[in-house]
Amino acid sequence: APTEIAVPTFYAGSPHLALATPIAVTAGGRLEGIDVTLVRSRVFRVTGRVANAPASGATLVLADPNDADLTDYPIRTAIKNSSGDFEFRGVPTGAYLLTANAENLRGVAPVLVGASDVEDVRVTLSSGATVKARVTVEGDKKPRLAGLMFILTAQGRSGGYALSVAEDGAIANQTPGPFAADILMPGHYQARLIGSALTGFYVKRIRSGETDVQADGLTITGPETIDIEVVLASDGAHAEGSVLDKDQRSAPGATIVLAPAQRTRMELFKTTTTDQNGRYEFASLTPGDYKLFALDDV
């Protein structure tokens, strides 16, 4: 029969990070009464088989589908035999993403655990797409490209594939392993470029063939070579102004949020605070449509 155990619990008493209650910690403050009662939950077994598993074996991770880095309390196991059979025990009810890794192969499968054990889950290992990408810069002003990171995230997840940019603009694997570019698994991805060297520049476009990756994302269907062009420019937009309170006086310390019309473009969200005279400024903005919000308390 299903067993019941204490599962990882977030304050103030939820097994799900999305339902956790944030705690505000202030300088010099004292927090008391941050008590957590562990949630007890029925847990189940998840069993199945990994296809194409090599003789060296395969490891499997069962995690929150929104946890791209597979670090948020995942459940891990390995195949038990040469046939690729596996078994997870102690799995609470919920929706999961099952990821299998072996050498340069990877496979994923959604798993939904309800009121009973889940059996006969099938995961097929395969090689992924190869990414060949390069960063170029328009204009005479050139940033230092080394140190920039090219990030690919799948299905809105927070982590993903982190690829380093060389000084000549070539984008290469940062590290070997399950998040290296040579095993970019089938799925739909969003792309962005991050790094302190982007100060004074903005990403003008990211294209793969005829696809506008910034607007439409990047769809991987199987083993293939994906060419990506990333273009930086220094002729970004500039926005500045001032904020007044309800009494029409300057509002120092107000939070200003610049939100793009295309809300999936997370890299376009900008925040700042007003100075002692209630003024704010944004530089090197990607041209486009935005909404500007001023908040006296977030």
Side-chain angles (χ1 to χ4, degrees):
T3 57
E4 185 176 279
I5 65 171
V7 297
T9 305
F10 295 93
Y11 179 75
S14 172
H16 303 293
L17 179 60
L19 300 179
T21 300
I23 297 173
V25 182
T26 59
R30 181 181 178 86
L31 296 177
E32 296 180 343
I34 310 301
D35 302 324
V36 181
T37 300
L38 283 174
V39 173
R40 297 189 67 83
S41 172
R42 294 175 67 188
V43 293
F44 304 92
R45 294 187 315 130
V46 175
T47 60
R49 176 171 290 183
V50 176
N52 300 336
S56 59
T59 58
L60 299 98
V61 177
L62 201 60
D64 185 327
N66 295 313
D67 178 26
D69 292 326
L70 306 178
T71 57
D72 186 16
Y73 301 103
I75 306 171
R76 302 177 185 273
T77 191
I79 59 173
K80 300 190 295 182
N81 50 43
S82 59
S83 298
D85 295 324
F86 66 85
E87 177 184 43
F88 290 95
R89 296 184 181 184
V91 181
T93 299
Y96 298 89
L97 186 69
L98 175 60
T99 304
N101 294 297
E103 298 176 356
N104 288 326
L105 304 174
R106 188 167 181 247
V108 296
V111 175
L112 182 62
V113 180
S116 62
D117 293 339
V118 180
E119 300 177 343
D120 200 30
V121 176
R122 299 287 173 166
V123 185
T124 300
L125 293 174
S126 64
S127 58
T130 298
V131 172
K132 292 185 178 180
R134 179 169 293 277
V135 177
T136 59
V137 184
E138 290 186 351
D140 297 330
K141 187 178 178 182
K142 305 293 183 182
R144 184 176 183 273
L145 298 180
L148 293 177
M149 298 299 298
F150 185 63
I151 308 296
L152 290 164
T153 54
Q155 301 170 344
R157 287 148 59 182
S158 59
Y161 299 81
L163 311 176
S164 59
V165 181
E167 188 58 39
D168 64 357
I171 296 176
N173 294 352
Q174 180 188 28
T175 56
F179 300 119
D182 55 357
I183 50 172
L184 188 63
M185 296 307 297
H188 188 71
Y189 295 84
Q190 299 294 329
R192 59 194 175 100
L193 196 67
I194 63 173
S196 58
L198 286 177
T199 302
F201 294 83
Y202 71 97
V203 179
K204 187 171 184 177
R205 64 178 176 269
I206 302 177
R207 298 194 66 86
S208 178
E210 298 299 319
T211 301
D212 183 345
V213 176
Q214 287 180 304
D216 304 323
L218 179 66
T219 299
I220 304 296
T221 58
E224 56 185 319
T225 298
I226 305 296
D227 292 306
I228 300 177
E229 176 197 34
V230 182
V231 178
L232 302 181
S234 59
D235 59 343
H238 185 90
E240 62 179 52
S242 60
V243 178
L244 304 178
D245 62 18
K246 59 184 176 62
D247 299 319
Q248 299 301 300
R249 296 178 298 188
S250 296
T255 298
I256 310 299
V257 179
L258 195 67
Q262 188 178 354
R263 296 302 172 90
T264 56
R265 295 282 304 277
M266 296 303 297
E267 77 280 5
L268 297 185
F269 282 83
K270 306 293 182 182
T271 62
T272 189
T273 56
T274 54
D275 62 17
Q276 68 273 21
N277 298 314
R279 295 194 60 81
Y280 67 87
E281 181 179 8
F282 292 101
S284 303
L285 296 174
T286 300
D289 295 327
Y290 296 83
K291 284 188 177 181
L292 188 68
F293 298 88
L295 307 99
D296 58 0
D297 182 42
V298 180

